[in-house]
Amino acid sequence: MSKQIQKETYNMFWAIVGVVFFATAYRWFLVPAGLYSGGFTGISQLVKLLLTEVLHIPMPESIDVTGIIFWCINVPLFVLGYKSIGRKFLYRTIIAVCIQSFLLTTIPAPKEPLLDDILLNCIIGGALSGWGVGITLRAGGSGGGTDIVGMYCAKNYPEFGVGKLSVMMNLCIYLITAVRYDLEIAAYSMVFSFVAGIMVDRVHYQNIKVSVFVVTKNRELGEKINRTISRGVTSWDGWGEYSHLEEVVHMVVVNKYELQALKKLIRQEDPNAFVQIMSPDMIMGNFEKRLEV
């Protein structure tokens, strides 16, 4: 088996693991508590509510049609995913969405919440859900819906993270939920999605940027970083007040996926280099989003 096939199998495995965790969190924590998810899963729940309570269309009791609705509304987004992210992202996403839709439909949901404390139920379920989404995104795929839109925005509008966009969409969903039910259901649902959104941005390393400053005597290191990592490097001359020797400072911004390769390169080229790594609050300018694995 070639390395490319092994890598693709590895990525596909973790993409599926991610959607399994998401679907499990939805069926085990959200459904028994009578709460609403965010993103396109929440939209699917609202569509189901519209079909049953407004249009009075009977639904089978043996399965949850939310997963089927979720699959249907994702079909147009596959085109957006292909045009904006790439072919590998598309087919991983199609496979993940099909599996996720199936699991959302078939995983048995407990009749009562697993935990007596509904707030704890929301926090644990939200963390599990967000972890699953983040793992799928790290594997170069997505569970569809908000993930596709979020990654599209992350690439074309750098100020948007996947988790941040999820929170914005969820506010609209929960306003409808609050009007239809009550503020308590909407509030607990928001807690679930808020925790999930935070977890997504923590797990999805490609959405986290770091600034790296390297103080070294190796003037060619900046060019090697640029050639190896394919990131722009800014270099300037420095002066060591302790050593009284000339130094060179190289500065580069990378995502956390690229950080390990960068540290390995620095150790190879200059084991004695002084390196400072910091997380910037904001990055402005031309920083390319690399979303496909």
Side-chain angles (χ1 to χ4, degrees):
M1 184 181 294
S2 67
K3 289 185 177 180
Q4 184 64 32
I5 296 177
Q6 288 179 340
K7 180 181 178 181
E8 190 57 41
T9 302
Y10 176 85
N11 288 332
M12 196 66 249
F13 170 78
W14 283 108
I16 294 174
V17 168
V19 299
V20 169
F21 273 94
F22 173 83
T24 302
Y26 171 82
R27 295 293 294 170
W28 285 6
F29 290 93
L30 211 67
V31 173
L35 303 179
Y36 277 69
S37 178
F40 279 70
T41 308
I43 292 175
S44 301
Q45 289 178 279
L46 292 179
V47 171
K48 177 185 175 183
L49 185 70
L50 172 67
L51 295 176
T52 55
E53 297 193 3
V54 178
L55 300 180
H56 303 290
I57 298 176
M59 297 291 170
E61 297 182 359
S62 58
I63 61 173
D64 185 352
V65 297
T66 301
I68 299 174
I69 297 172
F70 177 79
W71 187 88
C72 292
I73 63 179
N74 265 280
V75 173
L77 296 178
F78 292 153
V79 178
L80 178 65
Y82 176 76
K83 290 185 176 180
S84 61
I85 310 297
R87 185 170 53 188
K88 289 183 180 180
F89 176 84
L90 176 64
Y91 74 71
R92 289 176 192 152
T93 297
I94 291 176
I95 294 173
V97 167
C98 290
I99 294 175
Q100 180 170 301
S101 300
F102 175 77
L103 295 175
L104 289 175
T105 304
T106 58
I107 290 180
K111 294 183 179 180
E112 299 292 333
L114 294 180
L115 304 172
D116 293 333
D117 188 332
I118 191 169
L119 181 60
L120 189 60
N121 198 78
C122 292
I123 293 174
I124 295 177
L128 184 64
S129 171
W131 188 84
V133 172
I135 287 295
T136 301
L137 291 172
R138 281 178 59 177
S142 84
T146 309
D147 298 343
I148 299 177
V149 179
M151 292 186 73
Y152 173 82
C153 290
K155 185 173 184 178
N156 295 278
Y157 308 98
E159 66 275 11
F160 276 91
V162 179
K164 292 178 182 178
L165 184 64
S166 297
V167 171
M168 292 176 60
M169 291 186 63
N170 295 344
L171 289 176
C172 297
I173 294 172
Y174 297 137
L175 282 175
I176 298 175
T177 305
V179 172
R180 171 61 182 81
Y181 296 104
D182 56 50
L183 288 175
E184 185 171 317
I185 290 180
Y188 280 125
S189 299
M190 288 179 66
V191 171
F192 180 95
S193 293
F194 181 74
V195 173
I198 292 176
M199 184 63 73
V200 168
D201 276 348
R202 292 295 177 269
V203 177
H204 184 213
Y205 283 172
Q206 288 170 314
N207 217 31
I208 301 175
K209 298 175 283 292
V210 293
S211 299
V212 181
F213 293 83
V214 185
V215 181
T216 176
K217 296 180 177 62
N218 188 336
R219 187 171 293 273
E220 289 74 33
L221 179 59
E223 182 181 350
K224 291 181 179 179
I225 293 173
N226 178 264
R227 188 169 59 249
T228 305
I229 311 297
S230 298
R231 291 291 187 187
V233 181
T234 300
S235 305
W236 62 90
D237 293 327
W239 175 259
E241 292 294 347
Y242 178 80
S243 63
H244 297 288
L245 296 174
E246 291 184 352
E247 307 275 4
V248 181
V249 182
H250 305 291
M251 189 277 290
V252 61
V253 178
V254 298
N255 64 44
K256 280 199 171 181
Y257 266 173
E258 299 162 331
L259 182 59
Q260 294 303 318
L262 176 59
K263 291 194 292 186
K264 181 180 179 181
L265 176 64
I266 294 172
R267 285 194 295 265
Q268 289 176 347
E269 297 297 325
D270 185 2
N272 298 316
F274 178 83
V275 182
Q276 181 186 32
I277 301 172
M278 52 196 301
S279 298
D281 293 331
M282 180 182 297
I283 295 293
M284 298 178 63
N286 184 22
F287 181 82
E288 181 186 19
K289 290 279 186 174
R290 296 170 182 173
L291 302 174
E292 186 168 332
V293 176

